[in-house]
């Protein structure tokens, strides 16, 4: 009975491993849109490595779920062990190897600079975000290795008491319910980030007006772009920049040059612009 319980616990850990790894995967949602970006000419030199790493992460995520289901069956413990261990080894090693051909093209830079630059193409645009992604990856790998050892040490998953079985099936139901919530929420957040990215790209593409009479239209466009952003935080930053710029524009007609009020308005507008630039720097890639 103890061996079967180990198998059931291993299935729960596999579900947890997939849940942990889904967070970095969610940065590629909506997936068809991101794969389209990878197929563009801008990514041509890195396309094979990038798409391969995406496939590795997605395969690991899906295979873990399948193996978690198989953990409740009488399938060979050896097969379950390898189904847990092999994807973990691939996820741990192969992405680092796939960076090497690109790193060789830039001998003046070290491997870690190229590694970080390539991972920016995965939309992990800050060192802190990249560190969290790597931590999630290592946690998932460690959980899978732990699961493989559990399967290996439990060669005879015999039948167990129905009450114990029902209890673990309830645990499994809760785990998969959590997964059923995490995936749509992650996809929704990915959709919001996609809208933010589109808004920032539109903002970056705006041409600064040369004539004073074109400035109000320019500021209106910024406000419209802000309203199209996905996350409220970016919406507020863009709209705030538009509104403060309008106020500053109005003060130019009513306040003398060098007045305290005009200087304060100029500083607030500059800060608002910098805040937008900082927020949009997260979406500077892909």
């Amino acid at each position: 009975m103890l061996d079967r319980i180990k198998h059931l616990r291993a299935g729960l850990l596999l579900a947890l491993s997939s849940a942990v790894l889904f967070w970095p995967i969610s940065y590629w949602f909506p997936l068809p849109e991101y794969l389209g970006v990878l197929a563009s000419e801008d990514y041509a030199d890195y396309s094979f490595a990038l798409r391969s790493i995406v496939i590795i992460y997605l395969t690991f995520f899906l295979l873990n779920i399948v193996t978690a289901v198989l953990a409740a069956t009488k399938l060979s413990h050896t097969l379950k062990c390898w189904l847990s261990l092999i994807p973990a080894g691939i996820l741990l090693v192969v992405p680092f190897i796939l960076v090497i051909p690109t790193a060789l093209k830039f001998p003046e830079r070290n491997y870690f600079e190229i590694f970080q630059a390539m991972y920016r193409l995965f939309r992990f645009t800050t060192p802190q975000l990249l560190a969290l992604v790597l931590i999630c990856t290592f946690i998932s790998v460690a959980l899978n290795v732990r699961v493989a050892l559990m399967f290996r040490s439990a060669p005879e998953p015999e039948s167990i008491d129905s009450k114990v079985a029902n209890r673990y099936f309830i645990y499994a139901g809760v785990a998969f319910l959590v997964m059923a919530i995490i995936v749509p929420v992650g996809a929704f957040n990915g959709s919001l980030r996609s809208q933010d990215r589109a808004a920032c790209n539109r903002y970056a593409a705006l041409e600064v007006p040369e004539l004073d009479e074109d400035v109000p239209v320019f500021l209106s466009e910024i406000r419209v772009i802000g309203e199209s952003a996905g996350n409220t935080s970016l919406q507020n930053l863009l709209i705030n920049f538009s509104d403060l710029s309008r106020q500053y524009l109005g003060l130019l007609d009513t306040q003398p040059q060098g007045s305290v009020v005009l200087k304060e308005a100029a500083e607030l507008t500059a800060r608002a612009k910098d805040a937008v630039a900082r927020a949009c720097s997260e979406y500077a890639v892909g």
Side-chain angles (χ1 to χ4, degrees):
M1 186 171 88
L2 183 59
D3 284 359
R4 173 53 63 88
I5 290 177
K6 282 185 178 181
H7 281 228
L8 296 177
R9 289 175 178 172
L12 295 176
L13 286 180
L14 286 171
L16 176 60
S17 176
S18 281
V20 170
L21 199 67
F22 184 76
W23 179 73
I25 290 174
S26 70
Y27 273 77
W28 306 328
F29 279 48
L31 194 57
E33 175 188 299
Y34 181 64
L35 292 177
V37 170
L38 294 186
S40 65
E41 292 183 3
D42 293 338
Y43 286 70
D45 293 338
Y46 320 102
S47 181
F48 175 76
L50 296 175
R51 282 186 291 181
S52 297
I53 293 173
V54 168
I55 291 171
I56 288 170
Y57 272 75
L58 291 173
T59 301
F60 180 94
F61 172 79
L62 294 173
L63 190 58
N64 264 12
I65 294 176
V66 172
T67 309
V69 174
L70 294 176
T73 70
K74 294 184 178 180
L75 191 68
S76 167
H77 75 288
T78 302
L79 179 58
K80 294 176 186 176
C81 175
W82 288 115
L83 285 174
S84 305
L85 192 58
I86 291 176
I90 293 174
L91 181 65
L92 180 64
V93 175
V94 174
F96 293 93
I97 294 176
L98 288 171
V99 176
I100 293 176
T102 302
L104 293 176
K105 298 178 183 178
F106 303 95
E108 70 280 4
R109 297 187 177 182
N110 63 52
Y111 173 88
F112 294 102
E113 289 177 326
I114 300 299
F115 179 85
Q116 184 171 344
M118 283 192 65
Y119 266 72
R120 281 185 60 86
L121 301 180
F122 286 122
R123 299 175 174 170
F124 309 136
T125 51
T126 65
Q128 295 80 7
L129 182 56
L130 175 57
L132 288 174
V133 169
L134 293 177
I135 288 171
C136 287
T137 301
F138 293 145
I139 289 174
S140 292
V141 169
L143 287 171
N144 270 52
V145 171
R146 173 59 179 159
V147 165
L149 295 175
M150 291 173 69
F151 283 137
R152 184 179 179 183
S153 64
E156 298 179 2
E158 69 283 353
S159 298
I160 59 175
D161 182 79
S162 59
K163 291 183 178 179
V164 177
N166 289 337
R167 186 200 317 157
Y168 276 93
F169 281 125
I170 291 173
Y171 294 159
V174 171
F176 282 98
L177 177 62
V178 171
M179 289 291 295
I181 295 172
I182 287 176
V183 171
V185 169
F188 176 70
N189 288 334
S191 177
L192 293 182
R193 285 195 293 269
S194 179
Q195 294 177 46
D196 285 349
R197 186 172 294 104
C200 285
N201 288 338
R202 288 175 60 192
Y203 171 73
L206 285 178
E207 294 184 4
V208 178
E210 297 180 359
L211 302 177
D212 291 345
E213 54 265 30
D214 293 334
V215 173
V217 175
F218 173 75
L219 297 179
S220 295
E221 289 179 349
I222 293 177
R223 186 177 184 87
V224 171
I225 291 172
E227 292 171 348
S228 71
N231 284 291
T232 305
S233 57
L234 183 60
Q235 290 177 6
N236 292 338
L237 288 175
L238 284 163
I239 292 173
N240 185 53
F241 175 44
S242 175
D243 291 346
L244 289 174
S245 297
R246 283 185 181 279
Q247 293 173 17
Y248 175 66
L249 190 64
L251 289 172
L252 286 174
D253 296 329
T254 60
Q255 296 291 324
Q257 289 292 329
S259 69
V260 175
V261 174
L262 196 59
K263 287 182 179 179
E264 290 179 349
E267 290 178 2
L268 288 174
T269 303
R271 290 175 190 170
K273 183 178 180 180
D274 290 343
V276 171
R278 287 194 299 270
C280 282
S281 65
E282 179 181 345
Y283 305 103
V285 178

